[in-house]
Amino acid sequence: MRYKVDRRLFNQFLREERESMGRPGKPASEREIAIRARLSHTLIQSLRKGYEVGKGGRKVPKTHVNRATARKIEAAWGIPREVCFLPDMLDARSSEMAA
């Protein structure tokens, strides 16, 4: 299952995590934050920016993560479940049209 990232909340939690992990006046780096969550720093960067750079330097939107990634970030940063990462769900009309 894919989880949609609320980028505004993600960036807020990221900022708070950087400040809490860092030293006074010097926040922790995205790389340090990613290591703590056992994730790639490029994933954290892509989620912060809302896009990742694909082949040929093309910007590809980064709006979703899988459930395992969402749970890792939530656990590492103390984010309540399904606050920052919301499951993608079909509404009733979409599922009726697919049938």
Side-chain angles (χ1 to χ4, degrees), residues 18-60:
R18 288 186 68 198
E19 289 172 6
S20 71
M21 273 189 66
R23 296 182 300 277
K26 186 173 188 322
S29 69
E30 284 181 3
R31 188 177 298 268
E32 292 168 325
I33 299 297
I35 289 170
R36 181 167 176 234
R38 296 183 179 194
L39 295 168
S40 162
H41 74 279
T42 56
L43 173 65
I44 301 297
Q45 181 184 47
S46 296
L47 291 172
R48 177 179 54 82
K49 290 180 175 181
Y51 66 87
E52 56 191 349
V53 179
K55 293 180 180 177
R58 195 172 54 106
K59 291 181 181 178
V60 179

Side-chain angles (χ1 to χ4, degrees), residues 13 17 22 25 38 42 53 69 88 97 99:
F13 280 110
E17 189 65 18
R38 296 183 179 194
T42 56
V53 179
T69 300
D88 263 353
M97 293 172 85

